[in-house]
Amino acid sequence: MSARILDGKRIAADVRGEVKERAAGLRRRGTTPGLAFVLVGDDPASAVYVRSKGQACEEAGFHSVTERLPAAATMEQVLGLVRRFNDDPAIHGLLVQLPLPDGLDEDAVLTAIDPAKDVDGFHPVNVGRLATGGDGFVPATPLGVREILLREGIETRGKHAVVVGRSNIVGKPMANLLLRYGAGGDATVTVCHSKTRDLGSVTRLGEILVVAVGRAGMITGEMVRPGAVVVDVGINRVPDPARPGKTRLVGDVDFHGAAEVAAAITPVPGGVGPMTIAMLLQNTLTAAERAAARP
Ligand code: GUN
């Protein structure tokens, strides 16, 4: 293996330490950052995510609340909670955990969130601000990728960045971030997806390759440009050949194959994953600081 390992776990700990310090300063000035979670239904993975985000809030000195609704909840109930938190001055960030159970209109729920409290960056106003270069909230995972690149001194300006995946949560905002003017942006960006022909011929163009498709080991070493920086957003649970009956976490990139050719690579686990919560906390702190600055 020749690639340098990009240690997201360490960078996430640094960001969380900085957020905690800024939060303490804000508390001294009378504002405790507050983040509310809305969890609908009983998807076990969503419950785990919300619990760990709540714990992260506590460690950062934030106030957090979680409201749960059953899978059979009506739109009126979900929208009622969103409106309640929109109107609550102690709450600066509001996150409705996705996916919502079948029968609920995700777009309508996300659009009901006050854009100033939309720390997930999923509201169309914030999506639009990112696309037009404005100062809105950016989804935490692509923001975490950008933070890794910035803190590791990886230049994006003028580079060919290839993003694999076109989701609203990662691929599209990632492409927009890399396109933005200034630090962490100014790249030439190509976005690939499930209908891209001869995927490898496109990924091999990437001096920076960001992969977010949710398919274990889909990007092999031969699909990576020699000397590229590879960022693996995938988190996939697969059977562990070393421990029969057990599973392990792997990314969307064949780590060992890619590490032979890449200059730098994020591991899974310990790469992009820990950055998501760190950047969510940072977004929430920003929301609280803006709220505190409003007359
Ligand atoms: N489901 C998967 N990722 C996310 C996320 O970043 N935010 C929310 N609200 N739901 C998710």
Side-chain angles (χ1 to χ4, degrees), residues 46 49 53 95-99 110 120 122 139-141 169 276 280:
S46 289
Y49 288 140
K53 290 172 193 173
L95 185 157
V96 177
Q97 185 65 28
L98 303 179
L110 295 178
D120 257 333
F122 295 163
T141 300
I169 293 182
T276 298
L280 173 68

Side-chain angles (χ1 to χ4, degrees), residues 141-223:
T141 300
L143 202 56
V145 173
R146 175 177 184 271
E147 199 67 24
I148 291 175
L149 297 176
L150 284 173
R151 293 194 186 221
E152 289 289 329
I154 293 162
E155 183 60 78
T156 53
R157 184 174 167 188
K159 296 278 181 67
H160 192 164
V162 174
V163 177
V164 189
R166 56 174 158 177
S167 70
N168 291 334
I169 293 182
V170 186
K172 279 188 269 186
M174 186 77 249
N176 270 322
L177 274 176
L178 289 160
L179 266 180
R180 271 208 310 206
Y181 287 90
D186 287 330
T188 301
V189 182
T190 301
V191 183
C192 305
H193 48 77
S194 53
K195 305 295 187 292
T196 298
R197 266 185 286 130
D198 191 6
L199 180 63
S201 72
V202 186
T203 57
R204 269 191 297 276
L205 299 172
E207 297 173 276
I208 295 166
L209 180 61
V210 182
V211 188
V213 287
R215 283 182 54 191
M218 187 189 169
I219 301 296
T220 61
E222 304 86 77
M223 297 166 82

Side-chain angles (χ1 to χ4, degrees), residues 94-133:
L94 166 55
L95 185 157
V96 177
Q97 185 65 28
L98 303 179
L100 287 172
D102 288 347
L104 292 174
D105 180 346
E106 212 159 270
D107 278 348
V109 171
L110 295 178
T111 306
I113 296 172
D114 177 351
K117 297 191 178 187
D118 171 41
V119 289
D120 257 333
F122 295 163
H123 190 288
V125 163
N126 285 317
V127 175
R129 283 176 179 151
L130 172 59
T132 56

Side-chain angles (χ1 to χ4, degrees), residues 1-13:
M1 190 182 84
S2 59
R4 174 160 68 101
I5 302 296
L6 303 173
D7 186 352
K9 199 171 161 187
R10 176 185 54 78
I11 298 169

Side-chain angles (χ1 to χ4, degrees), residues 57-91:
C57 282
E58 199 172 305
E59 282 167 35
F62 291 12
H63 156 69
S64 83
V65 281
T66 303
E67 284 287 350
R68 294 177 181 77
L69 286 171
T74 62
M75 278 298 285
E76 254 335 287
Q77 286 176 292
V78 180
L79 293 175
L81 276 182
V82 168
R83 287 188 204 111
R84 196 184 95 202
F85 287 127
N86 279 347
D87 293 340
D88 183 345
I91 293 300

